[in-house]
Amino acid sequence: MTDPETDDSRTADNNDEFARKFEDKYEHYFPQLQQAYRGAFERMNDAYDSELVHAIDQQLLAESEPFYEGEGEFRVELLEDPADRLTGVLVDEEKLDAVLERYVAEIEAELRRVFGFDDPQ
C-alpha cells in the first residue's frame, strides 16, 4: 500500500489492505493515530472550555478505540457511561454529551484527513 498521507487514488485493493492493517492499528499506524487525536484536541481546545476538553481527552478519550468501517469511514468507540467516568470538572450531562459528540466527530474527521480519505470541501 502507498503512504496513506499522500495517496489520492484509493482502490478497492489498497483499501482492503488498509483495512487489514488497521486491525493492528497501533503496530502499523500509531503516529498517524496520535496525529489525528492531537489535531482534534487542538480544534476542540480552541472552540470549547479547555478544562472540559482536557478532562474529556484524559478521562474519556484515552480509553477510546478507533475503528475503520470501510469506504473511508471511521468510528470511535467510547467506554460505557462517559458521564459517570468524568471527574474533576463540573458540567451538566447535556453539555457533556454535546461536546463529546462533537469531539468524536472531530477525531473521525481527523482520521479521514490523516489517512487521505477526507472529502474536498
Side-chain angles (χ1 to χ4, degrees), residues 92-111:
D92 66 65
E93 194 167 340
E94 187 176 310
K95 181 176 181 178
L96 173 61
D97 288 345
V99 174
L100 187 55
E101 183 178 318
R102 168 79 190 278
Y103 205 151
V104 167
E106 289 291 340
I107 293 169
E108 291 167 349
E110 282 293 312
L111 287 166

Side-chain angles (χ1 to χ4, degrees), residues 50-66:
S50 64
E51 186 177 341
L52 177 58
V53 171
H54 280 269
I56 290 171
D57 180 65
Q58 296 296 308
Q59 298 174 33
L60 304 180
L61 295 175
E63 300 295 324
S64 69
E65 188 73 27

Side-chain angles (χ1 to χ4, degrees), residues 20-33 115:
R20 186 188 62 74
K21 287 178 74 176
F22 203 82
E23 291 177 14
D24 293 320
K25 59 191 153 278
Y26 300 113
E27 177 183 339
H28 297 287
Y29 299 120
F30 189 71
Q32 293 92 337
L33 294 170
F115 289 108

